Amino acid sequence: MQFGLPPAETVQGRLLKAFFVTVFLSVLMLPLLRTVGLRAFSMASEAYSSGTHSAAFVTCPNDTVAKDLARGIVEKKLAACVNIVPKIISIYEWQGKIEEDSEVLLMIKTRSTKIPALAEYVRSNHPYEVAEVISLPIDQGNPPYLKWIGDIVPE
């Protein structure tokens, strides 16, 4: 049984092996680290003031009304994007009765300053007696996407 330090060749061999493994793993990790770094820089370099943009919601009786409203909203630059969510079920009270209807939901992304004009457009072009137009300020999000909304929708 021997005690003490291993021979010098063994220590040098292990150090050399550890060095090459480290270099090899670093080369493999470089694309991942680059992608993560670029995303972090992109998110940190874009300034967004909370509440500058809003998400608005409008319910429609069918796909035709939803598509017509969505297209008009985007064409008039009242929003950058309108998502159409089909087949929602709404349960609500109307004129003293509980109602249940199949509807279509519009999810609208716009500048907060455009909400009054958006609401007026919907009221003027919607078949409901009382059209739903509600909005929530966007607190945070993907900075390039939020910038895009601002680029598309004028102040």
Side-chain angles (χ1 to χ4, degrees), residues 11 16 19-20 23 34 41 50 72 93 98 103 113-114 136 140:
V11 172
L16 192 56
F19 172 77
F20 283 117
V23 168
R34 182 177 184 277
F41 177 76
S50 177
E93 183 177 328
I98 303 299
E103 293 184 297
T113 57
K114 291 292 185 179
L136 300 167
Q140 298 179 42

Side-chain angles (χ1 to χ4, degrees), residues 137-155:
I138 297 173
D139 183 42
Q140 298 179 42
N142 180 18
Y145 184 80
L146 297 173
K147 181 182 180 313
W148 172 76
I149 293 173
D151 290 346
I152 298 298
V153 181
E155 298 218 33

Side-chain angles (χ1 to χ4, degrees), residues 1-132:
M1 191 152 58
Q2 289 185 331
F3 291 99
L5 295 174
E9 313 83 50
T10 307
V11 172
Q12 287 176 340
R14 287 181 184 165
L15 286 175
L16 192 56
K17 183 178 178 182
F19 172 77
F20 283 117
V21 168
T22 302
V23 168
F24 180 71
L25 289 175
S26 296
V27 169
L28 290 177
M29 293 294 291
L30 187 61
L32 174 64
L33 293 173
R34 182 177 184 277
T35 301
V36 169
L38 286 173
R39 286 189 182 163
F41 177 76
S42 170
M43 292 181 80
S45 64
E46 300 285 338
Y48 174 74
S49 180
S50 177
T52 301
H53 302 322
S54 288
F57 302 93
V58 173
T59 52
C60 300
N62 57 51
D63 287 340
T64 303
V65 171
K67 287 177 185 177
D68 289 346
L69 279 173
R71 186 166 304 282
I73 289 166
V74 173
E75 285 174 351
K76 294 190 177 307
K77 300 265 186 208
L78 295 172
C81 176
V82 179
N83 301 114
I84 299 174
V85 183
K87 299 181 182 175
I88 66 166
I89 303 295
S90 296
I91 299 173
Y92 57 97
E93 183 177 328
W94 181 249
Q95 297 178 342
K97 290 176 34 186
I98 303 299
E99 302 284 345
E100 181 175 322
D101 287 314
S102 179
E103 293 184 297
V104 178
L105 178 67
L106 301 181
M107 292 180 12
I108 304 163
K109 278 73 73 180
T110 189
R111 287 182 179 272
S112 295
T113 57
K114 291 292 185 179
I115 296 298
L118 172 68
E120 179 55 36
Y121 178 83
V122 171
R123 280 193 303 271
S124 298
N125 293 280
H126 201 291
Y128 288 170
E129 184 180 333
V130 179
E132 174 185 353

